[in-house]
């Protein structure tokens, strides 16, 4: 019998390859295996439709759209998905705004394995 993690698949949407690679590495080290990546929302939409990720790490600043607009779209269209916003702009207003829009977590860049692990454990409690 195969063990299925309730938080997988996980989708990382970030236009910076190094950020995607680092987050993927952290998640892999935490034991997650089904990790998908997209560089922007245009490329993420078909992945979300096909794979229906349970957790989406979403950069606030993407070249093709604003992360908060994407957050609202995901919450309406895919209400099962847990969106974790990622940003280098971690002002109180920015964090509060993403919470009000329905984000289930916020990770300030640069992040580390401990921050990612804490967010994932919190999401497991929601499941």
């Amino acid at each position: 019998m195969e063990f299925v993690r309730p938080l997988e698949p996980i989708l990382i949407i970030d236009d910076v390859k190094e950020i995607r690679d680092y987050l993927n590495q952290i998640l892999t080290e935490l034991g997650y295996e089904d990790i998908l990546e997209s560089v922007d929302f245009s490329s993420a939409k078909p992945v979300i439709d096909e794979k229906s990720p349970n957790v989406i790490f979403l950069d606030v600043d993407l070249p093709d759209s604003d992360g908060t607009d994407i957050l609202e779209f995901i919450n309406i269209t895919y209400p099962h998905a847990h969106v974790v916003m990622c940003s280098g702009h971690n002002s109180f207003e920015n964090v509060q705004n993403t919470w009000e829009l329905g984000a289930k977590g916020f990770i300030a860049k640069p992040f580390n394995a401990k921050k990612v692990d804490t967010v994932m454990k919190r999401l497991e409690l929601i499941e």
Side-chain angles (χ1 to χ4, degrees):
M1 184 164 114
E2 184 178 329
F3 177 71
V4 178
R5 288 180 165 265
L7 296 179
E8 293 181 277
I10 299 168
L11 174 61
I12 302 166
I13 307 173
D14 198 303
D15 58 316
V16 179
K17 182 179 181 349
E18 291 78 15
I19 298 288
R20 291 192 316 273
D21 290 347
Y22 182 53
L23 186 51
N24 193 325
Q25 176 187 346
I26 291 171
L27 291 166
T28 300
E29 288 172 2
L30 291 174
Y32 297 97
E33 297 173 355
D34 194 357
I35 304 166
L36 312 161
E37 298 181 11
S38 292
V39 298
D40 56 23
F41 191 51
S42 299
S43 64
K45 270 182 163 178
V47 174
I48 295 170
D49 286 338
E50 183 181 325
K51 299 292 185 177
S52 191
N54 287 317
V55 176
I56 300 172
F57 285 90
L58 175 60
D59 186 14
V60 172
D61 298 313
L62 290 170
D64 66 342
S65 52
D66 179 74
T68 55
D69 293 337
I70 299 167
L71 172 61
E72 289 182 288
F73 172 82
I74 291 171
N75 285 336
I76 291 167
T77 314
Y78 309 97
H80 75 281
H82 302 299
V83 180
V84 178
M85 301 302 289
C86 304
S87 177
H89 310 288
N90 58 342
S91 68
F92 176 75
E93 294 80 18
N94 199 9
V95 175
Q96 183 178 18
N97 185 40
T98 60
W99 283 107
E100 289 172 358
L101 293 172
K104 298 294 190 283
F106 187 96
I107 297 181
K109 294 177 186 178
F111 46 81
N112 58 38
K114 184 174 175 151
K115 289 180 185 177
V116 174
D117 188 35
T118 299
V119 167
M120 295 303 287
K121 284 180 178 167
R122 193 176 305 130
L123 293 178
E124 284 178 355
L125 293 175
I126 294 172
E127 280 290 307

